[in-house]
Amino acid sequence: MNFHKSFQTIDTQVVGEAFRIIVQSPIMLMHEDILEADHQLNTQFEDTKQLLLNEPRGHRGMNGCLVLPSAIASYRLLFFQHAASTNFKYEALVATMTALIEQGTIELSKNNTYSIETVKGVYEAYVKLSEKRDAVLSVHLILKPAQLEGEQVIIDNERRYIVVEKPQQFKAIVLEELAEISTWGLLESEKYSTADGVIMYEQLNSSVRSVTFERDGYILRSPGVDSILALIAVLGEEAVRKNDSIFGSSIEIIQKHEAGYEVALTAYITGIHQFVVDREDPLHHGFIIV
């Protein structure tokens, strides 16, 4: 058998959302400027990106991450994703930081603080390590507050969300009502086609339970960092100390800073994979189950 292409990845999940970190692939980016590198990644290598994001190697919920050396930070991080997903996710910072440290491919910092260069700027992350300093317990990020603009909530002056209280037709945001909630989310996503996502929420005693729909109506697999920021902007800080997802995972604001809100997230490595492409495979680009 003559394989056409070979890929190596590290897969992780952060509060239920999947991230695929490319370790080895035909993607070669040599640009010193990160915007040029990002442009090349997002205008070329289409076959490779689809191969890694789609079934049978991936799925609709998979997010792609490419880690590169950086002259100004601990590393450079670029993203590729399905067309209906947002082009930046804070959870990817946590996923890549955890994988790099636990795989021993990044120099450990003496003060446990690292920087990550992205097209949105350089982000600082504090990492809490195990006693032996060989496992990441949590990655801490400080997030800027979201802004309200009419009926939309704007994250980082870019990503836009619609926040809607749970309609009375649903008893609760629970898995037992997932089919009906999914149908509702698909219709709402079509209605608010200019938004990056629609967030349905219900207020609990000391937290909020929510479900976030991306532009094609797909349900996000996590509570969503963007989602908790959007909910705080709409409901207020005291009402949204914690955001629970319909699947049982949660994101909590652990501290408020002058610059924003601190969250501590944990990533888990779920697999280290070698994927191949057979020249005779008629579905070498993969497919998406809807």
Side-chain angles (χ1 to χ4, degrees), residues 121-237:
V122 177
Y123 290 88
E124 300 292 329
Y126 171 79
V127 177
K128 185 177 180 180
L129 295 172
S130 63
E131 187 175 344
K132 293 182 179 180
R133 292 176 62 83
D134 59 352
V136 176
L137 302 180
S138 59
V139 177
H140 296 238
L141 302 171
I142 297 178
L143 315 169
K144 294 180 181 178
Q147 304 297 320
L148 280 171
E149 185 178 286
E151 65 176 353
Q152 294 189 342
V153 184
I154 306 177
I155 312 291
D156 294 337
N157 297 316
E158 180 186 45
R159 302 181 298 282
R160 295 175 175 267
Y161 294 88
I162 300 293
V163 178
V164 180
E165 187 172 7
K166 175 186 68 64
Q168 293 184 351
Q169 68 197 74
F170 304 116
K171 294 180 180 179
I173 298 178
V174 291
L175 286 176
E176 288 75 14
E177 302 211 30
L178 182 59
E180 290 78 11
I181 288 173
S182 297
T183 300
W184 179 92
L186 180 59
L187 295 174
E188 291 296 300
S189 299
E190 293 173 352
K191 176 181 176 182
Y192 296 106
S193 59
T194 60
D196 291 292
V198 176
I199 304 167
M200 178 205 290
Y201 75 91
E202 62 177 342
Q203 188 75 59
L204 305 177
N205 291 333
S206 58
S207 65
V208 171
R209 183 183 295 126
S210 71
V211 57
T212 299
F213 303 90
E214 296 193 304
R215 285 192 295 268
D216 59 353
Y218 175 81
I219 292 181
L220 199 66
R221 296 191 176 196
S222 84
V225 172
D226 277 8
S227 300
I228 193 171
L229 291 174
L231 289 164
I232 290 173
V234 172
L235 302 176
E237 297 174 1

Side-chain angles (χ1 to χ4, degrees), residues 16-262:
E17 191 165 10
F19 294 87
R20 174 157 288 163
I21 304 162
I22 298 176
V23 177
Q24 178 267 322
S25 81
I27 297 178
M28 300 294 291
L29 304 176
M30 305 301 293
H31 298 283
E32 293 185 7
D33 182 83
I34 191 170
L35 294 177
E36 292 179 1
D38 181 69
H39 177 74
Q40 184 181 3
L41 176 62
N42 284 284
T43 56
Q44 299 179 30
F45 312 107
E46 205 57 39
D47 288 352
T48 297
K49 291 183 294 184
Q50 292 305 311
L51 174 89
L52 294 169
L53 290 176
N54 292 343
E55 278 109 346
R57 300 165 185 86
H59 50 80
R60 171 56 187 83
M62 184 61 71
N63 301 277
C65 302
L66 182 64
V67 173
L68 299 169
S70 171
I72 62 172
S74 303
Y75 62 92
R76 173 181 288 185
L77 176 59
L78 297 177
F79 303 86
F80 60 97
Q81 59 284 316
H82 293 281
S85 296
T86 57
N87 62 2
F88 179 91
K89 292 187 177 181
Y90 283 105
E91 293 89 340
L93 308 183
V94 179
T96 53
M97 180 63 68
T98 300
L100 292 175
I101 289 177
E102 294 192 351
Q103 291 293 299
T105 54
I106 188 173
E107 192 74 26
L108 289 180
S109 166
K110 292 182 180 180
N111 62 1
N112 293 333
T113 301
Y114 302 83
S115 56
I116 306 166
E117 182 187 6
T118 76
V119 293
K120 312 299 182 186
V122 177
Y123 290 88
E124 300 292 329
Y126 171 79
V127 177
K128 185 177 180 180
L129 295 172
S130 63
E131 187 175 344
K132 293 182 179 180
R133 292 176 62 83
D134 59 352
V136 176
L137 302 180
S138 59
V139 177
H140 296 238
L141 302 171
I142 297 178
L143 315 169
K144 294 180 181 178
Q147 304 297 320
L148 280 171
E149 185 178 286
E151 65 176 353
Q152 294 189 342
V153 184
I154 306 177
I155 312 291
D156 294 337
N157 297 316
E158 180 186 45
R159 302 181 298 282
R160 295 175 175 267
Y161 294 88
I162 300 293
V163 178
V164 180
E165 187 172 7
K166 175 186 68 64
Q168 293 184 351
Q169 68 197 74
F170 304 116
K171 294 180 180 179
I173 298 178
V174 291
L175 286 176
E176 288 75 14
E177 302 211 30
L178 182 59
E180 290 78 11
I181 288 173
S182 297
T183 300
W184 179 92
L186 180 59
L187 295 174
E188 291 296 300
S189 299
E190 293 173 352
K191 176 181 176 182
Y192 296 106
S193 59
T194 60
D196 291 292
V198 176
I199 304 167
M200 178 205 290
Y201 75 91
E202 62 177 342
Q203 188 75 59
L204 305 177
N205 291 333
S206 58
S207 65
V208 171
R209 183 183 295 126
S210 71
V211 57
T212 299
F213 303 90
E214 296 193 304
R215 285 192 295 268
D216 59 353
Y218 175 81
I219 292 181
L220 199 66
R221 296 191 176 196
S222 84
V225 172
D226 277 8
S227 300
I228 193 171
L229 291 174
L231 289 164
I232 290 173
V234 172
L235 302 176
E237 297 174 1
E238 295 305 317
V240 193
R241 303 297 298 179
K242 184 161 72 84
N243 180 27
D244 299 322
S245 80
I246 192 172
F247 303 109
S249 56
S250 63
I251 294 176
E252 185 173 359
I253 301 296
I254 63 171
Q255 192 173 352
K256 188 177 186 303
H257 297 261
E258 183 177 344
Y261 306 101
E262 182 178 346

